[in-house]
Amino acid sequence: MRWLERFHPASLRSTVPLLCSTSRFALQAVSALRRSALALLLSTAIAAPTLAQIPPPPGQTRPITLPETIVTATGAEAGPERLPAGVTVITRRDIEERGYQTVAEALFAIPGVNLAATGGPGQQTSIFTRGTNSNHTLVLIDGVPVNDASAPAGAFDFGQDLLGDIERIEVVRGPFASLYGSGALGGAINLVTRRAPADRQVTAFGEVAGGSNRTVRTHAGIAGTIGTFDYLAVAQGFSTRGSDASAPRLAGHTGERDGYRAAAGTIRLGWQALENLRFEGLLRWRETNYAFDAAGAEDPNATGNDRQWLGVLRGEARLLGGAWTTGLRLSRSEFRRRSSNAPDEIDPFPFTPYSLFRGTRTAIDWGNRIALPDAPGITQAVLSFGAGHERQSSRTRGEGVTATDARAGAYSVFTGIEARLFHLLDVSAAVRHEEAEDYGGATTWRLGAVMPLESLGLRLHAAVGTAFRAPSLEERFGRSAFVVGNPGLREERGTSWEAGIAWRPVRQVELSATYFASRTKDLIVYDFSTFPGTSRNINRARVDGVEFGLEVAPIEALTLRFGWTVTEAFDDNTDLRLLRRPSNTITAGFRWQPITPVVVTGELRFTGAQNDIVYPGASGFGDRGVNPSGTVANLTASWRVQENTTLFLEGRNLGNSRWEPVNSYVLPGRNVLAGVRIAL
């Protein structure tokens, strides 16, 4: 299904006329601000060539920043209000209070993000960030890029990873290749794993839950600090018989369930060798088994296995009295995906009866941050620089799949500076060059500025930057009976900009609006004008949009939040809408704490009609068309019965929506889980 997520045109617009007309009005309104926003960006670039984040007052935390080779959780950091980007941080408390089970569920209500899931947990799930491609969002674990090198186009599957070992999820929207390299055209998502407490030698935590569809979810962990050593270990398990991912409206629907089983483990060890010298190691493993259906049809014999390993070794030293932080990191991630599809009466001749994908990423990174002395009008200046090398490999084989056996490497260098000007303007800039061993290279950059006007309750921000995606190994070297790789492919390139405002007229209310736009060229698509077909750089795309937000706390115990994202994403070659980019998404949520030990949270998401491959088509297969809109509502309640014991009840899809996030794949029906969470 990944090939469907490329830039295909579609011929019909949204079937929600009111929302569409309103979205066009909103885009017309914000487009009037575009020239002034660009003027602000240019003045920022002239004022100071700087980098992306600023050191904050002590104790604040930084959402996604530079990789951990450069900045750790104890380094100089900045809060979201200081960042010139669309930032959302999902904390451990959010994960527990809202009942998130997988990374995909945690992204349910993020502005500017559209999820495309082919069913429930364990099913292929992609995201489209601010209208960019599904392989234009880079995923990191503790700052280490983990997109699968063996995936046909390098997209990440968000339906597999569990959250028992995750402390927070940091989502940044916008181009961040200047910080992370290839793949971050639309944004970056960093999964930050849990850490050992510094004030206890041993602490234990865990939870167990069960409910609908014979679902059982559990995790258990232990962590602590003994002298100069700290440790953490977490084990996770998840099992469900699932629901039928194939839409009931399809002919031949049987109700066959697509089950999912997952196990995962994480170990982290740290040694504070000296006051200014630390070493750390991380080992993370996850394996899942699942059943899945074909697009537009049932498939009772299709099963898959997905396994991932990640290992990280890191050393960090603080020099010059702590002004200079330098770090070295070695990382390796391995993916193995296997699927099988035995013949059956529904599909006696499966196109891909067996496939095996193996991908690796091995990298070494060296990073530095130096706090510079203050100068007249310039404070909190930080210089960063570093270099790295990464090698990827992909080996795939099977019947009916593109065979690949290739590897490639790339070197990178980067630098940046960040500062506060005249105690009024936070400015930042970064530049990075990546030189590949076999396809050339790319230089990317990013400029940003934040201006807080505290007396007016206002915060203004603007940013502009470039990004790229290197062609995947399959796109360059894969071979099958129908497709041959193209070693001469160029990287996909994009330029994006944004400008936003947040206004807090009173402490209990905040309104925000951000205009964003991107232009992408040299997009890689399969060209079947010759036989066999091959990948070529022949597409261009344009995206314009607005993210609106409102947060209200009418009483101390209740917080309400609302979001509306308008996205206009088009294929520049055909002037037709891109697939799976709805013009409108609306989210709403609340957190209510009627009494101290009780918390109730709810989330609702409306996704407007979107262009997709629609089944059944006139040809008997899928044809381009419009996938109808849908609404999903979730509710979670928690009751802390003792200081270290919490009971919880989670309800998913309470309206029993039969909406299809990806056409022909339906949401799981209404389901409920109950459990207990313990922290000793």
Side-chain angles (χ1 to χ4, degrees):
M1 291 300 298
R2 292 185 191 274
W3 66 274
L4 293 178
E5 298 160 7
R6 297 169 182 253
F7 283 81
H8 290 287
S11 59
L12 297 175
R13 294 179 180 265
S14 171
T15 58
V16 187
L18 176 61
L19 287 176
C20 281
S21 60
T22 308
S23 67
R24 286 193 291 271
F25 171 80
L27 282 173
Q28 291 169 1
V30 297
S31 64
L33 301 175
R34 182 168 170 178
R35 292 186 178 180
S36 59
L38 289 175
L40 174 59
L41 290 170
L42 291 174
S43 65
T44 300
I46 295 171
T50 57
L51 172 90
Q53 290 94 10
I54 316 298
Q60 291 189 5
T61 58
R62 180 203 298 267
I64 201 166
T65 60
L66 298 175
E68 285 197 345
T69 48
I70 304 159
V71 176
T72 70
T74 59
E77 300 177 342
E81 71 282 354
R82 304 279 298 280
L83 304 181
V87 178
T88 302
V89 180
I90 303 165
T91 65
R92 185 69 212 172
R93 190 185 80 169
D94 295 332
I95 292 171
E96 294 177 351
E97 289 185 349
R98 301 174 191 173
Y100 298 145
Q101 302 182 108
T102 65
V103 176
E105 289 188 4
L107 302 175
F108 176 78
I110 301 297
V113 171
N114 186 50
L115 278 82
T118 59
Q123 303 302 308
Q124 170 68 41
T125 303
S126 303
I127 69 168
F128 299 86
T129 305
R130 284 186 171 175
T132 59
N133 260 0
S134 61
N135 56 356
H136 289 170
T137 298
L138 185 65
V139 180
L140 311 102
I141 297 178
D142 288 342
V144 177
V146 292
N147 285 41
D148 184 0
S150 69
F156 187 84
D157 184 355
F158 290 87
Q160 304 295 333
D161 283 272
L162 305 176
L163 299 175
D165 65 336
I166 299 301
E167 180 63 29
R168 68 185 185 274
I169 303 173
E170 304 164 339
V171 182
V172 175
R173 302 177 290 283
F176 278 87
S178 59
L179 299 182
Y180 300 108
S182 171
L185 282 86
I189 297 175
N190 191 22
L191 309 179
V192 180
T193 57
R194 298 171 84 155
R195 305 276 170 163
D199 58 347
R200 282 171 284 179
Q201 291 190 345
V202 60
T203 183
F205 55 90
E207 72 173 34
V208 60
S212 303
N213 302 321
R214 299 178 186 171
T215 299
V216 177
R217 184 184 81 221
T218 183
H219 76 257
I222 187 170
T225 300
I226 303 174
T228 58
F229 294 91
D230 56 85
Y231 64 94
L232 177 138
V234 182
Q236 304 179 72
F238 190 103
S239 176
T240 180
R241 68 171 180 167
S243 59
D244 192 350
S246 185
R249 64 176 176 81
L250 297 175
H253 175 77
T254 64
E256 169 263 340
R257 294 177 179 268
D258 299 302
Y260 169 65
R261 298 191 312 277
T266 301
I267 297 175
R268 177 189 295 281
L269 300 175
W271 177 35
Q272 195 71 35
L274 299 171
E275 184 180 358
N276 59 353
L277 179 63
R278 176 175 173 79
F279 298 98
E280 191 171 84
L282 172 72
L283 183 64
R284 191 174 191 264
W285 162 81
R286 182 260 296 154
E287 183 165 357
T288 61
N289 293 277
Y290 50 89
F292 61 92
D293 286 327
E298 292 276 17
D299 202 332
N301 292 328
T303 61
N305 173 273
D306 193 311
R307 180 188 299 169
Q308 177 194 2
W309 287 91
L310 171 65
V312 183
L313 294 174
R314 181 168 62 88
E316 182 181 275
R318 298 188 174 226
L319 311 173
L320 303 179
W324 179 10
T325 300
T326 183
L328 187 68
R329 179 182 66 193
L330 176 64
S331 63
R332 181 179 175 88
S333 61
E334 296 186 4
F335 282 87
R336 191 206 67 177
R337 292 177 291 110
R338 181 179 59 198
S339 64
S340 61
N341 188 5
D344 54 63
E345 59 182 15
I346 296 176
D347 187 5
F349 303 103
F351 184 70
T352 55
Y354 172 78
S355 64
L356 178 64
F357 294 77
R358 294 180 182 271
T360 66
R361 299 177 70 134
T362 304
I364 183 169
D365 303 286
W366 173 58
N368 303 266
R369 283 175 66 90
I370 300 177
L372 302 177
D374 292 346
I378 304 175
T379 59
Q380 300 183 16
V382 178
L383 172 70
S384 63
F385 61 92
H389 176 260
E390 181 183 70
R391 176 162 290 274
Q392 299 185 18
S393 72
S394 173
R395 185 178 181 184
T396 66
R397 65 178 186 271
E399 301 177 53
V401 301
T402 302
T404 306
D405 189 356
R407 53 201 53 81
Y411 297 87
S412 61
V413 293
F414 70 90
T415 188
I417 189 168
E418 52 192 48
R420 170 164 285 185
L421 303 182
F422 305 105
H423 304 284
L424 178 64
L425 188 68
D426 295 330
V427 291
S428 56
V431 61
R432 177 189 181 103
H433 180 74
E434 188 160 313
E435 188 69 24
E437 296 175 349
D438 61 343
Y439 73 88
T443 299
T444 55
W445 52 269
R446 180 175 171 85
L447 303 171
V450 179
M451 178 180 290
L453 303 174
E454 297 179 0
S455 60
L456 301 177
L458 291 174
R459 173 184 172 273
L460 309 176
H461 82 272
V464 61
T466 61
F468 78 103
R469 182 186 76 88
S472 72
L473 292 173
E474 179 185 296
E475 289 167 334
R476 278 181 278 170
F477 306 113
R479 300 187 68 88
S480 73
F482 305 99
V483 175
V484 62
N486 180 359
L489 285 172
R490 301 182 303 277
E491 66 276 6
E492 300 177 336
R493 293 177 176 267
T495 301
S496 302
W497 54 93
E498 64 182 88
I501 182 172
W503 179 39
R504 189 177 288 274
V506 295
R507 185 176 63 87
Q508 297 86 354
V509 178
E510 181 176 271
L511 299 94
S512 63
T514 298
Y515 166 78
F516 61 89
S518 66
R519 301 294 182 264
T520 312
K521 63 181 182 179
D522 291 332
L523 288 164
I524 299 171
V525 298
Y526 283 125
D527 178 10
F528 289 102
S529 60
T530 60
F531 185 84
T534 191
S535 294
R536 301 188 191 278
N537 299 97
I538 58 176
N539 254 19
R540 301 171 67 97
R542 70 181 188 274
V543 179
D544 294 271
V546 192
E547 296 168 359
F548 298 103
L550 170 63
E551 186 170 305
V552 182
I555 59 175
E556 186 175 353
L558 179 63
T559 301
L560 308 173
R561 65 182 190 280
F562 305 90
W564 176 26
T565 301
V566 180
T567 306
E568 300 293 311
F570 288 88
D571 184 323
D572 250 358
N573 294 29
T574 63
D575 203 32
L576 298 175
R577 288 186 181 274
L578 303 177
L579 297 185
R580 298 176 187 168
R581 280 77 157 182
S583 295
N584 298 274
T585 58
I586 298 173
T587 60
F590 72 88
R591 182 184 186 273
W592 180 40
Q593 193 168 10
I595 56 177
T596 301
V598 174
V599 175
V600 181
T601 65
E603 291 185 318
L604 179 144
R605 178 184 175 105
F606 165 82
T607 303
Q610 55 190 314
N611 288 264
D612 203 345
I613 302 298
V614 176
Y615 296 88
S619 63
F621 299 96
D623 293 333
R624 292 172 181 151
V626 172
N627 195 34
S629 62
T631 303
V632 185
N634 300 331
L635 189 68
T636 302
S638 305
W639 175 30
R640 194 175 70 249
V641 294
Q642 294 181 3
E643 184 177 356
N644 60 356
T645 305
T646 300
L647 303 178
F648 57 87
L649 184 67
E650 303 169 0
R652 294 291 171 267
N653 191 13
L654 295 179
N656 203 34
S657 170
R658 310 312 287 160
W659 176 55
E660 300 168 25
V662 174
N663 191 269
S664 82
Y665 292 101
V666 70
L667 283 176
R670 182 189 300 112
N671 61 86
V672 177
L673 270 76
V676 58
R677 183 178 301 115
I678 298 175
L680 302 179

